[in-house]
Amino acid sequence: AEAVDTRFPSTLLAGNSGTIWSVAFVPNRDQVLSAVEDGTVFLWDIPTQKVIRKFSAHRGIIGSVEYHPSKPIVATGGDDGFVKLWDADSFSLIREWKAPNAV
C-alpha cells in the first residue's frame, strides 16, 4: 500500500444534490464552486465545509463551471445547451447563449 501524502489538502463536501461534474476555485478566497448533475451550483466555504449559497443554473447536468480570474463573473455550460454568465456576488443571470447541443 502507498502512503498518503498528508501535504496535499483534501476536503469532503458532503451534501451535494448529486454527482459533481465540475469545480472552480474562487480566486483569493477559501471557496469553491461545484456544478452538480441536477443543474445546481453550490458555493462552498472550504475551511468550514459549509454551503454559503446555491442556485439553479441549468436543466440537467452542468458540464462546466468557471470563475473569472479577475472579475466577479461565473460561467456555466450545461446539457440543456446553454452557456450562461452569472454575477458572482448575487448569482443573477447576466447573459446566456443557446448552443445546438449540450455544452
Side-chain angles (χ1 to χ4, degrees), residues 46-69:
I46 296 171
T48 64
Q49 299 180 16
K50 303 287 183 196
V51 175
I52 297 170
R53 178 182 272 163
K54 66 180 180 176
F55 68 99
S56 180
H58 293 268
R59 287 187 322 263
I61 295 170
I62 301 174
S64 62
V65 62
E66 288 294 331
Y67 205 103
H68 192 282

Side-chain angles (χ1 to χ4, degrees), residues 27-43:
N28 304 315
R29 294 187 192 167
D30 286 338
Q31 298 173 346
V32 66
L33 295 168
S34 63
V36 184
E37 68 183 349
D38 71 350
T40 305
V41 173
F42 288 79
L43 175 62

